[in-house]
Amino acid sequence: MKSIKNKIRKPFLILLIVIPLATLILFNFSFQIYINATAKNELKATIRAVEKEIKSELETDGGQPSEKKALNMARNILMALKSSHFSQGMDFYLLDQDALPVFPAQIKLAPSQIAYLDVIKVKFHQMEQGTVYTIPVNGKKYFTIAYSMNNDDLSNLTAVFALPTDHMKKYLGAVNLILFAIMLLGILIAIYFSEKIAAHITVPVTRLGVLSLQIGQGNFDVSHFTMPQDTLEFKQLYDNICIMVGRLETYDKNQKTFLQNASHELRTPLMSIQGYAEGIESGIFPDAKEAARIIKRESIRLNELVSELLTLSRYESGMYKPQWEEVNLCHLLKDYSQRLMGLAAKSDKNLELLLPEYDVMIQTDDILLSQTVINIVSNCMRYARQKVTIVLEKKGETVFLRISDDGDGIPQSDHPFIFDRFYKGKNGNFGLGLAIAKSAAELLNGRIAAYNQEQGAVFEISF
């Protein structure tokens, strides 16, 4: 598995090696073509210049040059070549019909020139005038062009110009060295900046990894952690982690509180059941039926508590998936009110249902909606004096369901906590009913709010 540094460094290096290398190869290829073409053109231009020089010499001499005069002419030609762009290293020869040198003299020839003339002897009679040939000699190449003297007295002489390619290779080698140095410098710069960029990315990522490990171990204190603010994405990631930490910390505290409260709520009926069972066993209670009745009552209470805990756990953990269906909410509320009539009669309260004259169609889950309505109505029944009212209303695309009572309203001190788990107000039961109602409403993509009216409390659900 590769690190981020390697993943960043590798493309940089490939980019800065392959592209300059390809450029270097292309440059060498193009430069070689250019040099060859330019050298050949220069040799042809040299021939034209020499031709003018010969004509000038012939006109000066009255058109009757001698061999001695031809040698002087050759010296003048050699001097004229000094003005050529490619004159550096160029050799000039006057050869007779047997390809033997007339100029320079045999004794003045260098070994490389002798070797060149030995090769020329073989090809001399096949060479066409004005054509540039490439002659290899001992691993070296010479651009060669021949020119025959156009004069009867000098017709047995041929001028040969030889331009070695050594200096061109040296020039190309110097250019390649410079390009290679630039490429090497580019690679070093790339390594430096790739390290900087990689560090700029990996250091925050590593620190965030340490932070996530700390959070995973249950340490939610991020106040000591600092994050560079110069990179937008890392800042957003850090901000999101801080939000996540806040929620995790809240969830962790809620879970701990939930477990403490649940254990407390479960312990009370269990202790009561255990105490009465032990009393019956030891014969302390003369009326065993009364003790059994209390055990039965506490068992029912315990069963209700466990059932509500399981319901809340399923809603909050996301285990419950709503089964959506389109229903007429007016008909559904009539059904719920019929179910609640028994509770109203038992509590000696009235339940009033106010519905609009039109049908209200919504996508909902019957189980979740009934859990929400029934739990809120049950809560209102507990605090109402005489009546609990259910009102359905639709404004635009939003459906409002308001459940109110005519009691004393929600105490100001209780208002922020009424939907918290195990928070019980005066005359409360387990403190789970409204928490279940809130979770169920949120699973229906609804919102639930509570407030006081002139008399009593109002719970408003909106979809």
Side-chain angles (χ1 to χ4, degrees):
M1 186 178 294
K2 295 181 180 178
S3 65
I4 293 178
K5 276 190 176 183
N6 287 334
K7 286 189 175 182
I8 293 174
R9 188 190 298 118
K10 187 175 179 180
F12 264 86
L13 293 179
I14 290 175
L15 191 66
L16 284 166
I17 290 175
V18 172
I19 291 180
L21 190 60
T23 304
L24 191 62
I25 294 171
L26 184 62
F27 169 78
N28 276 266
F29 181 73
S30 304
F31 186 79
Q32 193 67 47
I33 293 174
Y34 169 77
I35 287 294
N36 290 347
T38 306
K40 291 177 181 179
N41 291 333
E42 186 67 19
L43 279 173
K44 291 179 180 180
T46 302
I47 285 291
R48 289 193 292 269
V50 167
E51 192 173 12
K52 289 180 181 179
E53 179 68 21
I54 291 172
K55 286 181 180 180
S56 174
E57 291 287 343
L58 290 174
E59 290 173 359
T60 303
D61 199 42
Q64 299 295 326
S66 63
E67 187 171 324
K68 182 179 180 181
K69 190 65 177 179
L71 293 177
N72 289 331
M73 190 186 302
R75 293 187 186 94
N76 292 335
I77 291 171
L78 192 58
M79 293 295 294
L81 289 178
K82 299 299 182 182
S83 61
S84 173
H85 177 67
F86 286 97
S87 62
Q88 181 182 1
M90 183 181 288
D91 291 327
F92 171 69
Y93 307 93
L94 275 178
L95 304 180
D96 60 17
Q97 291 180 343
D98 297 324
L100 296 174
V102 176
F103 176 87
Q106 183 77 31
I107 59 173
K108 293 183 179 181
L109 293 175
S112 60
Q113 292 176 313
I114 294 172
Y116 172 78
L117 291 173
D118 289 340
V119 175
I120 284 292
K121 281 182 182 180
V122 180
K123 303 182 179 181
F124 180 71
H125 295 289
Q126 287 80 34
M127 294 175 65
E128 295 180 6
Q129 182 169 308
T131 302
V132 179
Y133 295 92
T134 303
I135 307 297
V137 179
N138 296 333
K140 295 171 64 175
K141 289 183 179 180
Y142 293 84
F143 291 121
T144 301
I145 191 167
Y147 173 76
S148 298
M149 299 294 186
N150 296 320
N151 185 274
D152 293 339
D153 295 320
L154 300 177
S155 59
N156 62 331
L157 297 179
T158 301
V160 176
F161 300 86
L163 180 63
T165 59
D166 289 356
H167 68 285
M168 301 176 194
K169 291 183 178 179
K170 289 179 181 178
Y171 177 73
L172 184 59
V175 173
N176 285 335
L177 186 61
I178 293 171
L179 290 177
F180 183 76
I182 293 172
M183 184 173 70
L184 184 61
L185 181 62
I187 292 172
L188 293 176
I189 292 173
I191 293 173
Y192 174 77
F193 279 105
S194 65
E195 288 291 333
K196 287 287 185 182
I197 294 171
H200 192 71
I201 294 173
T202 55
V203 169
V205 169
T206 303
R207 296 180 66 188
L208 287 172
V210 174
L211 179 63
S212 63
L213 180 62
Q214 169 190 317
I215 295 168
Q217 293 173 345
N219 184 0
F220 301 111
D221 182 16
V222 296
S223 58
H224 64 282
F225 186 85
T226 57
M227 189 72 186
Q229 302 294 308
D230 58 343
T231 305
L232 177 62
E233 289 77 9
F234 283 131
K235 184 179 182 303
Q236 289 176 341
L237 178 59
Y238 174 67
D239 292 341
N240 291 337
I241 287 177
C242 288
I243 294 172
M244 178 192 71
V245 168
R247 291 178 178 176
L248 285 174
E249 187 175 15
T250 301
Y251 179 78
D252 185 66
K253 289 179 179 178
N254 289 340
Q255 287 297 103
K256 289 177 180 178
T257 303
F258 174 81
L259 291 174
Q260 291 173 356
N261 292 333
S263 61
H264 174 75
E265 292 293 336
L266 291 169
R267 187 183 295 112
T268 301
L270 284 174
M271 289 180 64
S272 179
I273 291 170
Q274 181 183 357
Y276 278 96
E278 290 175 353
I280 294 173
E281 182 183 31
S282 59
I284 295 176
F285 300 113
D287 188 357
K289 289 185 178 181
E290 178 62 19
R293 186 183 63 80
I294 294 174
I295 290 174
K296 179 181 178 181
R297 183 187 66 195
E298 292 299 320
S299 297
I300 293 172
R301 175 180 169 82
L302 184 61
N303 185 59
E304 290 175 354
L305 175 59
V306 171
S307 178
E308 290 193 358
L309 283 173
L310 291 174
T311 299
L312 184 60
S313 176
R314 281 195 303 139
Y315 291 169
E316 291 189 345
S317 65
M319 293 175 60
Y320 185 87
K321 303 299 179 184
Q323 303 297 316
W324 301 99
E325 58 179 335
E326 188 174 21
V327 297
N328 187 335
L329 190 53
C330 297
H331 295 166
L332 212 55
L333 289 176
K334 287 178 183 178
D335 179 58
Y336 296 163
S337 63
Q338 289 294 326
R339 291 193 230 168
L340 289 165
M341 284 300 178
L343 177 63
K346 182 179 178 180
S347 304
D348 198 20
K349 309 285 172 58
N350 294 323
L351 179 61
E352 185 178 13
L353 179 62
L354 301 178
L355 301 174
E357 296 180 356
Y358 50 85
D359 290 337
V360 179
M361 306 301 295
I362 64 168
Q363 289 284 337
T364 190
D365 179 289
D366 182 32
I367 295 176
L368 292 175
L369 185 60
S370 64
Q371 195 86 58
T372 303
V373 173
I374 291 173
N375 279 17
I376 293 176
V377 170
S378 300
N379 184 81
C380 288
M381 286 287 184
R382 191 175 294 113
Y383 296 100
R385 288 194 178 94
Q386 296 180 344
K387 183 174 67 172
V388 174
T389 305
I390 302 175
V391 179
L392 178 62
E393 182 182 12
K394 185 175 183 180
K395 293 182 179 180
E397 296 298 322
T398 306
V399 176
F400 294 93
L401 180 61
R402 298 183 183 91
I403 303 172
S404 59
D405 62 59
D406 59 353
D408 296 330
I410 303 170
Q412 193 68 30
S413 58
D414 292 343
H415 196 277
F417 312 107
I418 58 172
F419 292 110
D420 290 352
R421 293 174 293 183
F422 293 109
Y423 186 83
K424 294 187 290 186
K426 185 180 179 181
N427 300 324
N429 191 10
F430 298 124
L432 293 174
L434 292 182
I436 292 173
K438 181 176 182 293
S439 296
E442 289 175 348
L443 283 173
L444 292 171
N445 300 321
R447 298 177 61 187
I448 187 169
Y451 55 88
N452 289 324
Q453 56 185 359
E454 291 184 4
Q455 184 176 4
V458 179
F459 293 85
E460 181 181 86
I461 308 164
S462 57
F463 302 101

